[in-house]
Structures are given as structure tokens and as C-alpha cells.
Amino acid sequence: MIQLFHVSKNFGPSIALNTIDIKIAKGEFVFVTGPSGAGKTTLLRLIFGAEKPATGHILINAINLNRISRSKLDLLRRKIGFVFQDFKLLPKKTVFENVAIALEVTGFRPKVVKKKTHQTLRLVGLAEKEKAYPLSLSGGEQQRVAIARAIVKDPLILLADEPTGNLDPDLTREIMTLFKNIHQRGTTVVIATHSRQLLEGTDCRTIVLNQGNISGDTR
Amino acid sequence: MGLRFYFLRQALLNMKRNVTVHILSLGTIVASLLILGAFLLLFGNLSNWLRQWGTALSMSVYLKDGTSAYKRDKIDSFIRGLPGAQIRRFISKEDAMNELKAALREEAGFLERLTHNPLPASYEVVFEASRTEEIDPEKIKQQLEALDGVEEVQHNRQWLKRLEGVLDVVSLIGYIIGGLLCLCVVFIVTNTIKLTIYSRRDEIEILKLVGATDWFIKLPFLLEGMMQGILGGGLAILALFLGYLAFSAKKIYLIGPAPLEFVFLPVGYVAIVFFLSTVLGIIGSFIAIGRFFDV
Ligand SMILES: Nc1ncnc2c1ncn2[C@@H]1O[C@H](COP(=O)(O)OP(=O)(O)O)[C@@H](O)[C@H]1O
Ligand SMILES: [Mg+2]
């Protein structure tokens, strides 16, 4: 599903990723971990096509991102859900609108948009907060809105960047359960996190990044 | 179906959110188009009047003093031989003087002190309207002036030629000003749309991140520019029409005894102004959306 061949990425002189190779199969649940600055976010952004690799090739669902046109990338992104570290919610839109936007851009009929958005918000436990505005929500609730927006279009791949960043342990567990549920439905899930706590006792595949190099892979 | 409404709703939402900017720019657009429309209106009427006046061809054939009756007969029959020509009347020296006195009324006193009548006798000749096209007034003027006893020939097309020259210059200036005004409208629309794009840049970033195509994002802005053009054009035409109504209530007696008819822009011109402003709106917003940041 996700394949990286000799991928490097640098920002000026600083090297974020140093010729790495990764293969993630369809339906896998993978953690990407490592200290801050290791290149986790950069890796996710590369997979999402938000950054271009300096060298190497990235294949998503057998499509080479180097060879893809701008409009094809837009279409591909509809199959990838991304939970951003800073959520990227629109403060002037309601929770419902924030989630519905991901369906609206794909041209679904309004009826379908409504139905699916309601469903997804129920799934993340925010059915009561549909009409609220993001800034009136707690951190955990905002996080769940961001997740709802990422999964509302039933993506093939779900990428999440530090999704439990500053949540308390109870909320963290709740969110992880949510990801597991999404994984159950067949979605390939990749979660970047620097939290050891999150990985404790997990039997999921874990890729460890260190200063742009892969220093461990539990596969 | 839902998508079309989405774009329209977005465009309207943009306008609502930046209502001050839109009103300001709309005002400027209307003003620009109004100047353009007013110019078209005046120019159109001016050339109308000129055409009406120009299609009728008339001549004054002035005679030398002391032209004998025999010579006058020859001139008379020559004129009658011209295609479509008709002698409306012969004005003798005395008639001319009397008419001048009548025209001057109280101020006519100084004419009494003249020892002789300086005014020439003349024929007033008109040509049938249907045949004026085939007549070359300059040629006839030359032929007539070659006749013995004819002092000078004047025809109304001499004046027309000069006025048409003036009109050409005026229309050239009109084109230049019109072009500048159009540029001005495009510039205003471009900047307005740039502002609304700027005010929505966070949303645009997110739209791109959730997989919106470029056109999905651009279309509402294009619609927004188009609506500015449509609104601007419509309001300008309305304002022009109201101005015309107020102005045309007073009949204008500029030249001649008949009041000149002041008409509004023909429907075709109204359509052109409207179409132009719509196109300018689209061009303006097209320029504004041209450079979209990559995410
Ligand atoms: N947009 C950017 N501009 C410059 N440097 C960047 C940018 N994004 C990441 N980097 C650098 O690349 C390296 C990896 O960053 P990142 O992928 O964010 O690490 P992580 O998510 O593991 O903390 C860091 O040294 C960081 O400073
Ligand atoms: Mg990071």
C-alpha cells in the first residue's frame, strides 16, 4: 500500500530523512516513533504528497508520487485521511461543517454528506457537539473532530501525527481505541508519536526513526 | 446539482464576509462604467444628430451683383438639370436684407446707414433625400462656380466633413479613456478577489489537504468576480438610465428650430456594456486566482 525506495528529504542543509526504505502493506497498523526532530512528520507529509522527496520514489497504492499530476494528487488525497498535529480545524465553521468539508470537495450529494457526517461524528462520540465551534471544545474533542474529518470519506490510508500529543491517559486510550476500530474496518493506519507510553505493551509494528535514519523496525 | 449550489453559496458567502470591500469596489466599478456609458450615450446622440443633419443635402448658390436676367436663366436651368435638385426659392438682394433686418430686430438700425446693399442674391437648392448618395456636392460646387455670374456655392456637407473630423478625434479619445476604465475595473476586481482569497487562505489550505481540486477552490472566486461584474454593469446601466431620464426631460434646442431628440443607448449597446462588465469581472478574478499557493 505504501512503499518508499531510497527516499531522502532535506530542508536546506538539515537532513530530515536519509535514504530510507519502508514497505507498509494494506491493512497494517504501524507506529512511527523516535525523538523529536527524527523526521516522523516529514515522513507522513511525504506519504501525503505535501512534500516532494529530494531523492527516491514513493508509491502509494502503486501510484508513483513523483510522476503524478497535480490533479491526480488531489484525487489520491481523497483516499488518504490525515490527522494533523495542530488539527487544522476552521474556527469559523461548526464541528459538522468542519467534517463535512472533506466530503463536499469530492462532490457527494448534500444528502449523502449529511448522513455520513452524522454517522462519523456519532462514531467519535461527538454527536452532541455538531453545532459547536472548535474553539469551544476541549483538546480531546478537537482531536476527535480532526479524526472524524480524516475518516469520514472512508480512506484507504489514515495518517495521524502525534494524535495523543497532549491528552491525559484516559483520553489517549479512548483515541487509540478509535484508531483500532478504524483499523478493523480495513484501513491502513500509520501513527507518528514520540510517546513511549503509547507504545508500551503494543504488539503493533513499530518503525523507529533517529535523525532521519531507520534504527529499528519490529516487523 | 448540489455542487453548483455549493459554488454559488461559497461565492455569496465570500461577498457577505467581505461586504465592505465589495461595496467599495462595486462603487468604483459602477463609477467607471458610468463614465464609459455616459460617453457612449453622448457620442451616440452626437453622431445621430450629425447623420440626420447630414443626409439632407442643401446648397446656397450666391450670385454676383448685377448678374443679368439672361445669365440668371442659364444658372437657373443648369440647377434644374442636376439630379434630384429642386430650387426651393430665389432670394433677391432685397429679400436677403429684409430677412437680416427681421433677424436682427431692434439692432437692425445700423443697416439703415448703409449706402448700398452688400448682401448677394442667392438660390436655395435642396436635393431629394433618396438621391443624395449619388451626388458629389464638391463636383457640383465646382461646376456651378465655373458658371458666369456665380460668386460662391456653399453646401452643408462642408460643415459635416469638419464635424466628422472632430467626432473622429472624440471617438479616439473615447477609446483610450474606455480602455483605461476597463483596465481600472479589472484591476479593482483582481484586488478585491485577492483580498477575499487572502481572508480565506486557511480554509483554502485545508480544502487542498482534504483533496479539493484546484477548480473546486477557484470556481467560487471566479463566480464572485463575475457577480461583481454583473452587479457593477447592472447598477451602472440603471444609474445611467436614471440620469438620462432626468436630463432628457429638458428638450435641447441646440441647432436649428426643431428640438434634437436625445435618445438612450440602443439595446445592443446596453447589452455590450453589461457583457463587457461581466467579462471584465471574470478576467479580474481570473488574474487573482491565477497564482494559488501549493500545499
Ligand atoms: N518545513 C521545514 N523547514 C525546515 N526544516 C524542517 C521543516 N520541516 C522539518 N524540518 C526539519 O527536519 C527535521 C525533521 O523534522 P520533523 O519531521 O518535523 O521531525 P519530527 O516530526 O520527528 O519531530 C528537523 O530537523 C526539522 O527541523
Ligand atoms: Mg512531528
Side-chain angles (χ1 to χ4, degrees):
Chain A
M1 179 62 74
I2 303 170
Q3 290 169 293
L4 282 80
F5 298 106
H6 303 308
V7 170
S8 308
K9 177 71 187 176
N10 62 297
F11 296 95
S14 85
I15 294 165
L17 288 175
N18 191 6
T19 23
I20 61 167
D21 292 271
I22 296 177
K23 257 188 198 161
I24 296 172
K26 186 167 165 30
E28 265 194 287
F29 193 108
V30 182
F31 285 109
V32 177
T33 188
S36 182
K40 305 183 293 294
T41 300
T42 305
L43 176 63
L44 293 194
R45 286 175 59 79
L46 279 166
I47 293 171
F48 192 57
E51 303 277 3
K52 290 213 182 317
T55 66
H57 292 275
I58 301 170
L59 269 64
I60 306 295
N61 211 8
I63 298 167
N64 190 334
L65 291 192
N66 285 355
R67 306 235 173 90
I68 198 173
S69 68
R70 173 75 233 188
S71 54
K72 284 271 168 55
L73 179 63
D74 292 331
L75 295 181
L76 184 64
R77 277 189 185 166
R78 297 178 184 181
K79 299 191 185 119
I80 307 175
F82 201 126
V83 183
F84 302 95
Q85 187 168 7
D86 56 353
F87 311 147
K88 290 200 194 295
L89 300 177
L90 291 164
K92 283 185 190 151
K93 289 197 183 284
T94 63
V95 166
F96 184 89
E97 289 165 340
N98 264 286
V99 174
I101 210 172
L103 291 176
E104 276 170 352
V105 302
T106 62
F108 274 109
R109 290 213 314 279
K111 233 189 209 162
V112 182
V113 171
K114 253 188 198 150
K115 193 168 143 238
K116 291 197 71 113
T117 306
H118 283 310
Q119 263 176 9
T120 309
L121 282 170
R122 215 175 303 129
L123 179 74
V124 300
L126 283 176
E128 314 293 311
K129 303 269 183 177
E130 275 186 357
K131 292 200 176 69
Y133 287 86
L135 292 182
S136 71
L137 302 179
S138 71
E141 286 168 333
Q142 289 184 28
Q143 182 70 265
R144 280 183 281 162
V145 178
I147 292 170
R149 188 182 60 197
I151 63 172
V152 70
K153 55 195 172 182
D154 297 319
L156 293 173
I157 301 169
L158 179 64
L159 308 171
D161 196 2
E162 310 282 0
T164 58
N166 31 27
L167 302 182
D168 60 54
D170 281 347
L171 274 176
T172 300
R173 218 168 299 126
E174 224 177 88
I175 297 280
M176 285 316 294
T177 313
L178 195 53
F179 281 128
K180 287 274 159 64
N181 285 340
I182 295 157
H183 178 236
Q184 293 298 313
R185 299 195 309 195
T187 306
T188 308
V189 180
V190 182
I191 298 174
T193 180
H194 68 273
S195 146
R196 283 173 216 286
Q197 192 190 343
L198 197 64
L199 303 169
E200 260 167 31
T202 182
D203 50 359
C204 297
R205 178 181 174 194
T206 306
I207 298 170
V208 185
L209 280 179
N210 219 324
Q211 294 189 333
N213 294 296
I214 295 175
S215 64
D217 189 340
T218 62
R219 185 163 73 162
Chain B
M1 184 198 89
L3 218 50
R4 274 216 302 276
F5 285 115
Y6 170 86
F7 292 131
L8 200 63
R9 212 177 57 220
Q10 277 302 330
L12 289 171
L13 211 63
N14 284 348
M15 295 177 91
K16 211 174 98 185
R17 274 199 211 138
N18 304 282
V19 73
T20 326
V21 174
H22 271 94
I23 287 175
L24 282 177
S25 75
L26 204 59
T28 325
I29 293 170
V30 170
S32 305
L33 291 171
L34 200 55
I35 296 171
L36 200 73
F39 188 85
L40 277 179
L41 189 61
L42 288 181
F43 186 78
N45 275 291
L46 219 58
S47 50
N48 258 352
W49 296 336
L50 221 54
R51 200 171 330 114
Q52 280 166 15
W53 190 52
T55 45
L57 176 60
S58 60
M59 271 182 195
S60 296
V61 180
Y62 296 101
L63 303 181
K64 285 186 180 133
D65 282 359
T67 303
S68 67
Y70 170 72
K71 282 177 183 166
R72 247 184 59 193
D73 265 355
K74 285 188 86 174
I75 295 167
D76 201 289
S77 58
F78 182 85
I79 291 172
R80 286 180 204 284
L82 291 169
Q86 218 179 5
I87 294 178
R88 193 152 59 176
R89 62 195 185 118
F90 173 75
I91 305 166
S92 69
K93 286 176 71 74
E94 291 71 36
D95 292 341
M97 180 53 84
N98 285 338
E99 274 175 28
L100 185 62
K101 278 179 183 165
L104 289 175
R105 289 189 213 171
E106 286 94 58
E107 288 109 74
F110 75 96
L111 291 175
E112 308 292 347
R113 292 198 291 275
L114 293 171
T115 51
H116 75 284
N117 182 353
L119 299 175
S122 64
Y123 283 104
E124 251 180 43
V125 184
V126 292
F127 290 81
E128 266 175 44
S130 58
R131 303 188 64 170
T132 48
E133 287 307 316
E134 59 190 270
I135 295 165
D136 179 0
E138 279 303 310
K139 213 172 118 199
I140 293 172
K141 174 179 153 82
Q142 276 170 18
Q143 288 172 344
L144 276 167
E145 280 176 355
L147 292 178
D148 204 6
V150 175
E151 172 82 49
E152 198 193 354
V153 175
Q154 284 185 356
H155 62 84
N156 63 348
R157 288 212 183 148
Q158 279 168 297
W159 293 99
L160 198 66
K161 278 263 154 48
R162 272 178 231 166
L163 277 173
E164 273 174 349
V166 173
L167 221 56
D168 280 348
V169 174
V170 172
S171 77
L172 183 67
I173 294 170
Y175 275 124
I176 294 170
I177 293 175
L180 289 175
L181 287 171
C182 287
L183 279 181
C184 168
V185 169
V186 168
F187 181 77
I188 295 160
V189 173
T190 300
N191 279 290
T192 313
I193 303 303
K194 269 189 181 158
L195 273 176
T196 59
I197 289 176
Y198 186 74
S199 76
R200 285 190 58 207
R201 63 196 180 288
D202 294 338
E203 203 177 333
I204 290 170
E205 187 201 343
I206 287 164
L207 282 171
K208 301 214 87 174
L209 289 176
V210 296
T213 58
D214 278 2
W215 278 110
F216 184 88
I217 297 170
K218 287 175 177 181
L219 212 61
F221 295 114
L222 211 58
L223 273 179
E224 196 182 334
M226 192 173 103
M227 281 197 271
Q228 277 220 322
I230 290 174
L231 272 177
L235 286 176
I237 288 165
L238 190 71
L240 192 65
F241 187 67
L242 292 178
Y244 159 78
L245 284 184
F247 189 59
S248 66
K250 309 181 189 82
K251 285 214 188 303
I252 314 161
Y253 296 85
L254 263 185
I255 332 165
L260 288 167
E261 205 189 354
F262 189 60
V263 296
F264 194 59
L265 293 179
V267 181
Y269 274 50
V270 171
I272 287 173
V273 170
F274 193 68
F275 183 73
L276 183 74
S277 74
T278 307
V279 168
L280 291 177
I282 294 175
I283 292 175
S285 51
F286 199 80
I287 294 171
I289 63 174
R291 203 172 38 83
F292 251 100
F293 39 94
D294 265 340
V295 181

